[in-house]
């Protein structure tokens, strides 16, 4: 799925001056270098896939060499013929987003190939891989890049925790396209020092030097917790970091040590301000962790935007309209035409709206305010960049460039205010009362509190013996195993081979 989404990101990079909107809809991997890596890795697969891989690469090259090609009849015709050949080639992916690009950008209404129905791998049950095995594999990948053993252990723990919680978008699925490919591109560094710029008993400003956010985050959250344990409160601001995984990991670190935790991070611009149409802020999660007497803490970890592209693609598959207020175009129109929205996302003519939707009728200014709050706490204390400066692509050359992100971490030691067991009892009773409250007659018959769905996923996945590994991620694992030094000897045969 990540490779498929990357195609849309490349198209967006080439066809619109508003590149930064890409982060809202796709994993931030929209560089020609990323596609070079992906094409190279595809050659590691069997020869029956090579024709499809080559045709796909030619389609991407055609887009790259003709940024205005969707306006040129000759280019459109050339694109159409290549897309048709790709659709008929052995190994063409039926759900490849390049078919959507053909339809919405180049006007090529060509049905994708049908999935295999009898013996094709697409129909086979997905393999389940043990969590410990998967974490060890990810750790070995980080070690192969020169990450120290201590840091590799922490980085792999952040990623596997995401998969345990059922947040598949931020676990194994991010290993290659977000972390490995960026280290390959030289815009993220495997073993940079973490510098303390200023510090007091309760606060600190830290510079991550564009190292792995997966390690910078846990390091700085622990700093905040240690300060809180001594002085009641700890706050750490971070500059020059990189993608730090699921924000809920850090809030949970605090709850596990008897603290209330709060964290946030900025990202590439994707949200338009209320009554605006230009992407200005990232999807900026504002994440709280609160201990409770339940088997799991209360952890609210979500973006400050209404929707992301993946949800709108789901609407398209279902043939339904996008809810009004989730997307706004550059003319200020709240769009509901799902197919048209997908087209204009690729062309950079739409932006996400904050929680509450466009305008102020449903309180969109509230989500806008929260997104702004996160952006301010990630930039003002740090004198950090925002907007164009964290787009991830050099406008002059089209090459990837570093994305220096800001984070913040707050910990409050509960014992400095009241006994932690009393706090847990109080919070647990209220949360249980919410779950026990009257259910909607047309609802699912259950009320959840934040963190409960993730706990359900953990219980279910542990019972089944681990995590399912989709075919695109199997391919990523094979590519990393076959190309990273030392991995082929340790992983001669992966569980799904």
């Amino acid at each position: 799925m990540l490779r498929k989404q990357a195609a849309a990101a490349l198209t967006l990079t080439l066809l619109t001056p508003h590149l930064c909107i890409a982060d809202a809809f796709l994993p931030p991997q929209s560089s020609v270098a990323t596609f070079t890596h992906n094409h190279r890795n595809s050659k590691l697969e069997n020869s029956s896939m090579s024709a499809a891989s080559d045709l796909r690469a030619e389609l991407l090259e055609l887009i790259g060499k003709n940024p205005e090609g969707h306006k040129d009849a000759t280019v459109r015709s050339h694109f159409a013929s290549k897309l048709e050949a790709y659709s008929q080639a052995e190994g063409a992916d039926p759900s490849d987003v390049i078919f959507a690009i053909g339809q919405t950008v180049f006007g090529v209404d060509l049905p994708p190939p049908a999935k295999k129905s009898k013996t094709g791998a697409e129909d086979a049950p997905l393999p389940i891989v043990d969590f410990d095995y998967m974490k060890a594999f990810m750790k070995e990948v980080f070690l192969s890049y020169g990450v120290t053993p201590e840091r590799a252990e922490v980085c792999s723990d952040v990623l596997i925790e995401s998969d345990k919680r059922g947040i598949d978008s931020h676990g194994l699925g991010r290993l290659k396209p977000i972390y490995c490919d960026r280290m390959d591109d030289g815009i993220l560094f495997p073993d940079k020092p973490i510098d303390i710029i200023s510090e007091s008993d309760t606060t600190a400003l830290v510079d991550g030097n564009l190292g792995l956010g997966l390690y910078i985050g846990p390091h700085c959250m622990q700093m905040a917790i240690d300060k809180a344990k001594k002085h009641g409160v700890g706050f750490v601001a971070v500059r020059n970091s990189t993608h730090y995984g699921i924000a809920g990991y850090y809030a949970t670190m605090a709850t596990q040590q008897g603290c209330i935790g709060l964290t946030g991070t900025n990202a590439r611009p994707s949200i338009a301000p209320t009554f605006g149409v230009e992407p200005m802020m990232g999807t900026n999660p504002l994440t709280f962790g609160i201990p409770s007497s339940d088997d799991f803490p209360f952890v609210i970890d979500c973006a400050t935007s209404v929707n992301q592209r993946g949800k709108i693609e789901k609407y398209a598959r279902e043939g339904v309209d996008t809810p009004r207020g989730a997307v706004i175009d550059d003319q200020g129109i709240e769009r509901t035409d799902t197919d048209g929205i997908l087209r204009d996302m690729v062309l950079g003519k739409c932006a996400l709206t904050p929680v509450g939707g466009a305008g102020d009728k449903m309180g969109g200014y509230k989500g806008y305010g929260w997104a702004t709050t996160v952006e301010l706490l990630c930039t003002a204390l740090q004198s950090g960049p925002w907007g164009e400066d964290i787009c991830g692509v050099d406008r002059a050359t089209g090459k990837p460039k570093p994305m220096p992100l800001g984070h913040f971490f707050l910990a409050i030691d509960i014992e400095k205010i009241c006994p932690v067991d009393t706090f847990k009892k109080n919070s647990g009773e209220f949360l249980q009362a919410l779950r026990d409250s009257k259910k909607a007659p047309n609802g699912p018959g259950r009320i959840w509190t934040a963190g409960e769905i993730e706990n359900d996923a953990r219980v279910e996945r542990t019972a089944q013996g681990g995590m399912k590994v989709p075919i695109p991620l199997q391919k990523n694992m094979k590519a990393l195993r076959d190309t990273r030094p030392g991995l082929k000897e340790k992983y001669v045969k992966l569980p799904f081979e």
Side-chain angles (χ1 to χ4, degrees), residues 124-376:
L126 292 176
I128 295 175
V129 179
D130 178 78
F131 287 129
D132 290 340
Y133 180 97
M134 193 60 72
K135 179 183 175 182
F137 177 84
M138 292 192 284
K139 180 178 179 179
E140 290 292 342
V141 171
F142 284 119
L143 289 172
S144 76
Y145 279 93
V147 180
T148 64
E150 176 201 358
R151 295 189 178 193
E153 173 70 20
V154 173
C155 290
S156 58
D157 190 63
V158 177
L159 292 181
I160 199 64
E161 182 62 24
S162 180
D163 286 313
K164 288 179 179 179
R165 298 184 188 192
I167 310 173
D168 298 328
S169 59
H170 282 62
L172 173 66
R174 295 267 171 156
L175 176 64
K176 184 182 184 301
I178 299 299
Y179 305 106
C180 296
D181 285 357
R182 288 181 180 182
M183 286 189 283
D184 289 336
D185 289 338
I187 62 173
L188 187 161
F189 303 98
D191 192 26
K192 286 287 188 177
I194 298 175
D195 297 325
I196 298 177
I197 306 304
S198 62
E199 187 174 20
S200 72
D201 288 343
T202 57
T203 65
L205 174 61
V206 171
D207 193 317
N209 294 301
L210 295 174
L212 279 161
L214 293 173
Y215 179 77
I216 296 168
H219 178 87
C220 292
M221 185 75 243
Q222 192 58 52
M223 283 183 65
I225 293 169
D226 291 343
K227 289 178 180 295
K229 287 298 182 180
K230 290 181 180 179
H231 305 288
V233 176
F235 181 87
V236 177
V238 184
R239 71 187 189 195
N240 291 324
S241 185
T242 56
H243 194 282
Y244 77 169
I246 53 168
Y249 184 93
Y250 309 107
T252 304
M253 283 181 63
T255 66
Q256 290 171 339
Q257 298 177 64
C259 292
I260 296 167
L262 171 65
T263 184
T265 181
N266 65 347
R268 301 186 196 187
S270 56
I271 298 177
T274 300
F275 301 125
V277 297
E278 181 182 356
M280 293 295 295
M281 297 164 290
T283 50
N284 298 7
L286 183 62
T287 302
F288 289 83
I290 299 174
S292 131
S293 57
D294 292 317
D295 293 335
F296 52 91
F298 177 92
V299 176
I300 177 69
D301 178 6
C302 54
T304 48
S305 58
V306 173
N307 267 343
Q308 290 190 344
R309 182 187 175 108
K311 180 64 71 67
I312 296 169
E313 289 177 342
K314 180 174 181 287
Y315 296 147
R317 291 193 297 270
E318 295 172 350
V320 299
D321 287 344
T322 297
R324 185 174 297 279
V327 176
I328 191 168
D329 69 15
D330 58 2
Q331 300 302 308
I333 299 172
E334 297 177 25
R335 299 278 290 278
T336 63
D337 57 315
T338 300
D339 290 339
I341 287 171
L342 287 173
R343 178 192 65 238
D344 286 345
M345 281 181 176
V346 174
L347 297 174
K349 295 180 178 180
C350 286
L352 296 179
T353 59
V355 169
D360 59 0
K361 291 181 181 179
M362 293 297 291
Y365 57 88
K366 298 176 183 179
Y368 166 38
W370 285 121
T372 303
T373 299
V374 175
E375 198 78 42
L376 288 170

Side-chain angles (χ1 to χ4, degrees), residues 360-432:
D360 59 0
K361 291 181 181 179
M362 293 297 291
Y365 57 88
K366 298 176 183 179
Y368 166 38
W370 285 121
T372 303
T373 299
V374 175
E375 198 78 42
L376 288 170
L377 290 175
C378 291
T379 58
L381 291 166
Q382 300 90 334
S383 296
W386 50 272
E388 285 286 306
D389 291 334
I390 56 173
C391 271
V393 172
D394 187 314
R395 297 292 191 189
T397 65
K399 295 181 178 180
K401 70 175 183 179
M403 289 170 282
L405 303 182
H407 317 311
F408 62 89
F409 304 90
L410 172 69
I412 303 171
D413 184 25
I414 295 170
E415 284 284 357
K416 297 294 193 296
I417 303 171
C418 73
V420 69
D421 287 340
T422 299
F423 181 92
K424 288 183 175 181
K425 176 178 178 291
N426 293 339
S427 60
E429 287 178 350
F430 175 68
L431 293 169
Q432 189 60 50

